[in-house]
Amino acid sequence: MPRYAAIDIGSNSIRMEAAEVTSGEPVRVLASDREVTRLGESVFRGGAVGEEALRASCSVLARMAATYRKLDVVGVRAVATSAIRDTRNQKDFVARASEAAGTPVEIISGREEARLIYLGVESVWPQDGKRVLILDIGGGSAEIIAAEEGRLREAFSVPLGAVRLKEAFLEDDPPTALQLHQMHEYIHEKLDEPVAKLGHTGWERAIATSATASAMASAIGRVSAPSAKRWTASACVTPRCANSTASWPS
């Protein structure tokens, strides 16, 4: 059966997954890897990927490539998202990252990122017949996706990633009241358009994806991250889901 690999070069981490695909059957994951690189820190602070972060990312990509080469994959797709969309040294990053990964690295738009997130959710937990809101909070951006009757209806990509917000607003630890206020004002401003178009209510299910969602569930449930994944799956909160009665925040 054909085997494929995928790489997601995010603003906070790089992920790789290799899988065997058989028509009509669940995908069989053969290998997975994740490394926190925080590429977005240097981009959101200074406008470009720093040399140290670039070298570290290439090292991670080379390690991941060695894994999927051993599996004889027939195809690889490597995509880069928010931090690389914004960086001044895109050309240098793409050239070196592509060489390390052994495959061309593609910088995808926020809308394409949202589409792939939607397809990922549907492949794990199909939502046929439901009106669903999907939220993915990454390191550089957040994707907000509206789906209805098994189809993606609307998608937004807004600059509200966790690393971006931290670098832009939270200089102190703990942050000051002023820093939190400024961040909250910025978040509300960036959510104006999605909220205006999608409304506040009427969603049958809200689904939150990403490690950020898992971390939030861990904090709320007061459990460790591995336990949070089990807890959230049963409670329909995250990493792939949220409270089934949740509505858009006002």
Side-chain angles (χ1 to χ4, degrees), residues 205-219:
R205 176 167 288 148
I207 301 175
T209 70
S210 80
T212 300
S214 183
M216 290 172 60
S218 178

Side-chain angles (χ1 to χ4, degrees), residues 16-54:
M16 181 278 293
E17 195 160 276
E20 190 171 82
V21 180
T22 304
S23 179
E25 296 183 15
V27 171
R28 186 167 74 94
V29 176
L30 303 173
S32 61
D33 195 358
R34 176 178 182 266
E35 183 84 20
V36 174
T37 57
R38 298 188 73 83
L39 272 175
E41 279 189 347
S42 55
V43 175
F44 305 140
R45 186 185 303 138
V49 176
E51 180 59 29
E52 184 178 348
L54 206 165

Side-chain angles (χ1 to χ4, degrees), residues 214-215 217-219 221-231:
S214 183
S218 178
R222 298 183 180 182
V223 293
S224 64
S227 299
K229 291 181 180 180
R230 294 190 294 271
W231 174 76

Side-chain angles (χ1 to χ4, degrees), residues 125 133 135 205-210 213-214 216-218 220-221 228-244 246:
W125 192 21
L133 187 70
L135 175 64
R205 176 167 288 148
I207 301 175
T209 70
S210 80
S214 183
M216 290 172 60
S218 178
I220 293 168
K229 291 181 180 180
R230 294 190 294 271
W231 174 76
T232 54
S234 62
C236 288
V237 180
T238 84
R240 293 274 187 212
C241 41
N243 191 312
S244 60

Side-chain angles (χ1 to χ4, degrees), residues 101-116:
T103 193
V105 170
E106 172 190 359
I107 302 173
I108 60 173
S109 68
R111 187 168 182 82
E112 172 65 1
E113 186 175 358
R115 187 185 74 88
L116 294 175

Side-chain angles (χ1 to χ4, degrees), residues 92-158:
D92 186 33
F93 180 89
V94 168
R96 292 167 64 177
S98 297
E99 182 180 5
T103 193
V105 170
E106 172 190 359
I107 302 173
I108 60 173
S109 68
R111 187 168 182 82
E112 172 65 1
E113 186 175 358
R115 187 185 74 88
L116 294 175
I117 291 165
Y118 170 72
L119 291 175
V121 170
E122 279 291 311
S123 72
V124 174
W125 192 21
Q127 299 295 315
D128 292 345
K130 288 187 172 59
R131 196 162 182 255
V132 181
L133 187 70
I134 301 170
L135 175 64
D136 182 281
I137 304 174
S141 64
E143 278 60 52
I144 302 161
I145 303 150
E148 192 171 357
E149 297 180 352
R151 291 193 172 193
L152 190 156
R153 297 298 187 187
E154 193 77 70
F156 300 87
S157 181
V158 289

